[in-house]
Amino acid sequence: MTQPTVFTSNAVPPIHVIHENPDWLPPFAKAFAARGEGFVDWNLSDGAFDLSTPPPAGLFYNRMSASAHSRGHRYSPEYASAVIAWLTAHDRPVINGPGAIALEVNKAAQLARLERAGEPVPRTVAALGAEKVAEAAESFAPGPVIVKPNRGGKGLGIQLFENAHEAAARSRAGTLPGSTDGITLLQDYIRTTDGSVTRAEFIGGRLFYAVRIDTGGTFELCPADVCAPEEAAATGGPVFTVVENVVEPELEQAIGVFLRDAGIDIAGVEFARDADGRPYVYDVNTNTNYNPDAERAAGVSAPQALVDYLIRERNRHFASPRIAFNGWGLVPGRIAAAE
Ligand SMILES: Nc1ncnc2c1ncn2[C@@H]1O[C@H](COP(=O)(O)OP(=O)(O)O)[C@@H](O)[C@H]1O
Ligand SMILES: [Mg+2]
């Protein structure tokens, strides 16, 4: 059980980080330490909270991942939604709050909102049930179709069928990959000229940088070091490169408007260009990870920019230095040391 933490009279309350994968925290811990700050670690791979108690004070940053199920944490996103509802019911500021968790686990919701914001997205049908999936796939014939789970993450379970009839047959035979929430998306395949896609990293609603991902033909594009680097090295890809001037101002602005309307503060937004150079947005990652090699080569640090943004937001919300935060209750985590 965590000891209650007491903040003295001139302290500001802490920043709490909600997640389910400790492997992704070191770059952020380092960035906090660089500013002489710690953070409260809320690992929601399991947990319990008392609804009759107010949450602790502070700023909360949610980086729950749609791919939690691939690490044995099938229900952590649902649990995160419950925790975030409790936080917001008590007016706790949450960076990447309810809007972000709702879209993180629901690609159909992402695409619906992108579409409404006027973004070009690939034509997509969301389907439930093997026969409906098959019929939806047939609507793409004779062309190709991408089949992907509605709750995405790391490219798992994504398949390209050059002939959509084959996807339909596989659905009827019950041999398509499973979908965590039962919903399958059938999507137009954006055929790029060079196999690259772009991820535009937004922090605090603003474009921080864009990274080109040379996919090497794989759909599994996790940028973090911890995502099987040996495997990636063995297959020769993907390769991440920070690039400038690849997000046209209209696209940058439209993504910004989409993120604001959706209540998302931090996200990696992925798009692919067809042979005519037209961009199609197909994925929004609210728990985005950053590629350290690409950052080193470009001399930038998104984890630092993100942490600086969190500190600014925390200070903005808790401007008065004289509030006492004694005994602010249950902390379902631990205070990470500012090393
Ligand atoms: N409609 C599409 N056309 C072409 N490539 C796609 C399309 N959708 C996904 N991909 C490829 O598959 C990768 C993973 O798909 P994505 O929707 O981002 O799933 P995830 O949420 O699992 O990352 C993409 O980064 C891209 O390389
Ligand atoms: Mg993706």
Side-chain angles (χ1 to χ4, degrees):
M1 177 63 202
T2 309
Q3 294 300 312
T5 304
V6 178
F7 283 79
T8 53
S9 59
N10 60 356
V12 284
I15 295 167
H16 308 254
V17 180
I18 292 171
H19 69 97
E20 55 73 47
N21 185 4
D23 288 349
W24 284 345
L25 291 188
F28 302 100
K30 195 171 156 216
F32 274 108
R35 300 293 182 250
E37 292 256 356
F39 65 95
V40 186
D41 183 338
W42 285 41
N43 183 338
L44 302 194
S45 52
D46 62 9
F49 64 96
D50 183 343
L51 285 153
S52 65
T53 315
L59 180 91
F60 292 78
Y61 165 45
N62 157 46
R63 50 181 297 104
M64 180 53 58
S65 167
S67 63
H69 62 91
S70 70
R71 288 174 291 277
H73 306 143
R74 163 63 185 85
Y75 294 110
S76 288
E78 281 77 5
Y79 183 61
S81 293
V83 169
I84 290 168
W86 175 56
L87 297 174
T88 53
H90 289 272
D91 296 324
R92 297 294 183 266
V94 186
I95 301 299
N96 275 4
I101 185 72
L103 263 63
E104 172 68 18
V105 296
N106 190 342
K107 281 185 189 291
Q110 295 173 14
L111 293 160
R113 278 190 165 270
L114 285 162
E115 191 104 57
R116 197 183 75 176
E119 307 261 6
V121 298
R123 178 186 163 235
T124 307
V125 181
L128 174 68
E131 181 52 30
K132 294 296 177 194
V133 170
E135 288 168 14
E138 277 160 351
S139 75
F140 290 81
V145 67
I146 289 239
V147 179
K148 60 171 84 166
N150 185 50
R151 181 178 294 197
K154 301 196 297 186
L156 297 171
I158 299 184
Q159 280 195 10
L160 166 66
F161 292 89
E162 286 292 348
N163 181 340
H165 285 299
E166 197 198 324
R170 290 275 304 276
S171 182
R172 291 195 175 99
T175 56
L176 280 184
S179 160
T180 306
D181 68 0
I183 300 170
T184 298
L185 303 185
L186 296 302
Q187 191 169 75
D188 257 340
Y189 178 52
I190 310 303
R191 205 176 290 280
T192 63
T193 50
D194 62 358
S196 80
V197 298
T198 307
R199 185 190 287 219
E201 297 291 357
F202 282 72
I203 297 174
R206 296 223 178 85
L207 179 64
F208 184 65
Y209 64 58
V211 61
R212 189 181 69 231
I213 309 172
D214 293 296
T215 63
T218 178
F219 290 161
E220 297 185 20
L221 302 176
C222 171
D225 262 351
V226 289
C227 298
E230 285 158 28
E231 201 179 292
T235 57
V239 177
F240 298 80
T241 316
V242 174
V243 281
E244 286 179 15
N245 304 321
V246 292
V247 188
E248 46 273 60
E250 310 79 58
L251 182 60
E252 180 180 337
Q253 205 201 348
I255 295 173
V257 169
F258 154 76
L259 293 175
R260 197 191 59 220
D261 290 353
I264 299 172
D265 310 287
I266 294 161
V269 179
E270 291 178 22
F271 61 88
R273 292 184 192 276
D274 67 9
D276 296 328
R278 190 172 150 83
Y280 291 85
V281 180
Y282 60 81
D283 189 26
V284 178
N285 304 278
T286 65
N287 75 317
T288 190
N289 284 293
Y290 307 105
N291 183 266
D293 292 338
E295 292 206 333
R296 244 188 314 277
V300 287
S301 170
Q304 193 65 64
L306 190 156
V307 162
D308 290 350
Y309 166 70
L310 295 177
I311 292 171
R312 276 199 308 277
E313 282 298 295
R314 189 270 317 271
N315 294 347
R316 188 172 70 78
H317 280 280
F318 301 95
S320 167
R322 272 189 288 282
I323 302 168
F325 288 100
N326 290 340
W328 38 261
L330 181 70
V331 184
R334 66 190 171 82
I335 303 284
E339 301 149 6

